[in-house]
Amino acid sequence: MSPPDWDVLRRALGVSVSDEALRHALTHSSYAYENGGADNERLEFLGDAVLGQSVTALLYQHYPELPEGELAKRRAAVVSTHALAKVATEIGLGHFLLLGRGEERTDGRTKPSLLADALEAVIGAVFIEQGHKAADDVVIGLMGETIKDPRTFDETADPKTALQELAASRALPPPRYVLSEDGPDHQKTFSADVFIDHPQHSPGPVGRGVGSSKKLSEIDAARNALSALRGS
């Protein structure tokens, strides 16, 4: 793989941040374990907090009529793994990830959890090097349209509930999830198959998903099942 062109990423982020800071933010723990150096987990922790604060302020300003409970739901949707991974994919963040051999073999550059974590780490790196205003500007630039788009807050924000409601509207039994896991204890990947046990459906799963936790794999499976059922 060719060396990363950090200028491309800087233009996508709209901020001047050093190669060193970006490299640190995009170093996955699997790469650091194999090659030495610091991984991006502390920056991810920081970036998560910065992102949450910025998104909260944006929602507060953009939706003055909404009560606290609805604002909280919308914030959860905007900072979800699904939403962050979508933004990370749009700016090509996966190309810049530094991954260990195992993650490379298992298409780590397209894993939603890795992309979302890396985006948070980048925000954290900008905060450390350029300050709160620069980090806030990055969040606004990347997430502003997501916050304004009502589709962010539709069934994609809670696909498991949406799938259950869709099944009920079609007089079908509730969705049933079957889980499996793979990988070492410190780096497990979970898979979920969701079934709707009814004669009008094939015996196979109506959706499949993967994630870094059981919950995330079920959410991914439900989202894929919704897409499949909506098209049927």
Side-chain angles (χ1 to χ4, degrees):
M1 185 176 177
S2 59
D5 185 347
W6 298 117
D7 285 336
V8 171
L9 183 54
R10 274 187 282 266
R11 286 194 293 271
L13 295 170
V15 67
S16 178
V17 61
S18 69
D19 292 3
E20 181 182 3
L22 290 173
R23 182 179 178 86
H24 183 190
L26 294 163
T27 299
H28 187 258
S29 57
S30 61
Y31 184 92
Y33 177 79
E34 293 177 8
N35 297 277
D39 63 36
N40 65 358
E41 291 181 355
R42 282 173 54 85
L43 284 175
E44 175 200 335
F45 170 78
L46 175 61
D48 175 69
V50 175
L51 173 69
Q53 184 182 53
S54 296
V55 168
T56 298
L58 285 169
L59 286 167
Y60 184 87
Q61 294 160 7
H62 193 72
Y63 296 101
E65 77 286 359
L66 292 181
E68 179 272 341
E70 184 60 29
L71 288 172
K73 290 179 183 178
R74 296 194 175 207
R75 178 177 60 194
V78 173
V79 302
S80 68
T81 296
H82 173 69
L84 294 179
K86 182 175 181 291
V87 171
T89 300
E90 289 171 352
I91 65 172
L93 199 63
H95 170 75
F96 297 93
L97 286 174
L98 299 172
L99 303 174
R101 291 187 294 273
E103 288 293 351
E104 288 282 14
R105 285 196 299 269
T106 57
D107 296 324
R109 296 182 187 282
T110 63
K111 287 182 180 177
S113 60
L114 267 64
L115 290 169
D117 290 348
L119 184 59
E120 289 178 336
V122 167
I123 293 168
V126 173
F127 178 86
I128 288 290
E129 192 170 272
Q130 300 289 332
H132 187 277
K133 175 64 165 58
D136 199 46
D137 287 345
V138 169
V139 174
I140 293 171
L142 295 178
M143 311 299 296
E145 291 306 313
T146 300
I147 287 170
K148 296 174 185 176
D149 187 350
R151 291 173 299 178
T152 303
F153 313 111
D154 64 10
E155 65 186 29
T156 61
D158 188 4
K160 289 186 68 176
T161 298
L163 180 60
Q164 188 168 343
E165 291 174 350
L166 177 62
S169 72
R170 297 185 180 184
L172 299 172
R176 176 174 60 89
Y177 295 86
V178 177
L179 293 163
S180 60
E181 59 185 64
D182 188 34
D185 288 341
H186 69 283
Q187 204 172 353
K188 283 190 179 297
T189 297
F190 296 88
S191 301
D193 288 327
V194 56
F195 298 83
I196 293 180
D197 301 317
H198 192 273
Q200 77 180 59
H201 287 282
S202 67
V206 292
R208 288 178 170 166
V210 296
S212 57
S213 69
K214 294 177 181 178
K215 179 180 178 180
L216 290 176
S217 68
E218 289 182 351
I219 288 172
D220 192 38
R223 185 177 292 114
N224 292 330
L226 279 167
S227 297
L229 291 173
R230 293 293 189 202
S232 64

